[in-house]
Amino acid sequence: MVIRNETSPPPSDDQVDRIFRALADATRRDIVRRTLVEEATVSALAALYEMSFAAVQKHVGVLESADLVTKRRQGRERLVRGNPDTIREAQALLDGYELIWQGRISRLDTLLADTTTPDTSGQH
């Protein structure tokens, strides 16, 4: 994935859905975390979880389709590496949502402050 600049289009709804669907699973989040630190073979990843090699391969496939990890062949092994660009993309989306909520909370705070301020003008 290419790092987006100010003129890059935002990710499509389908891309966003794939990213967050993939991250909704604890095992997949753990695989991303581990492979952001260092590359790992699918075999090494499979040894870390109480599930079959095929199940771990399937998790890696879901992550790969969401562009959260990439796989490359080295001899007979498949090395998995986390994709920090996609993580940044997800973070940017979440940051945008946070700004929306901060704006709403700020407007609510202003509204509440206006309704709780006593009228000192002597007029009712």
Side-chain angles (χ1 to χ4, degrees):
M1 174 176 242
V2 176
I3 296 176
R4 287 188 16 188
N5 58 36
E6 300 301 317
T7 60
S8 296
S12 70
D13 286 343
D14 286 343
Q15 289 168 312
V16 172
D17 288 347
R18 277 193 302 275
I19 290 168
F20 287 107
R21 236 183 257 123
L23 292 173
D25 181 85
T27 300
R28 290 193 289 262
R29 286 191 307 272
D30 191 59
I31 290 170
V32 169
R33 182 187 59 77
R34 289 174 187 279
T35 59
L36 284 168
V37 173
E38 66 179 319
E39 277 185 319
T41 65
V42 176
S43 299
L45 289 169
L48 299 170
Y49 305 103
E50 292 185 19
M51 62 182 71
S52 69
F53 178 85
V56 173
Q57 260 186 323
K58 188 171 182 175
H59 280 302
V60 170
V62 170
L63 292 168
E64 190 175 30
S65 72
D67 202 28
L68 287 160
V69 301
T70 57
K71 285 193 300 190
R72 68 178 180 90
R73 184 175 292 284
Q74 183 175 2
R76 296 187 318 150
E77 293 286 351
R78 299 292 297 222
L79 291 169
V80 180
R81 174 183 296 179
N83 187 347
D85 295 338
T86 303
I87 298 297
R88 283 188 207 100
E89 189 93 8
Q91 184 63 52
L93 289 165
L94 293 172
D95 288 347
Y97 292 131
E98 182 180 9
L99 288 174
I100 291 168
W101 278 103
Q102 285 176 346
R104 288 181 178 179
I105 290 169
S106 179
R107 288 191 302 275
L108 183 59
D109 285 345
T110 300
L111 178 65
L112 290 173
D114 289 346
T115 60
T116 59
T117 304
D119 185 2
T120 58
S121 66
Q123 298 175 354
H124 292 9

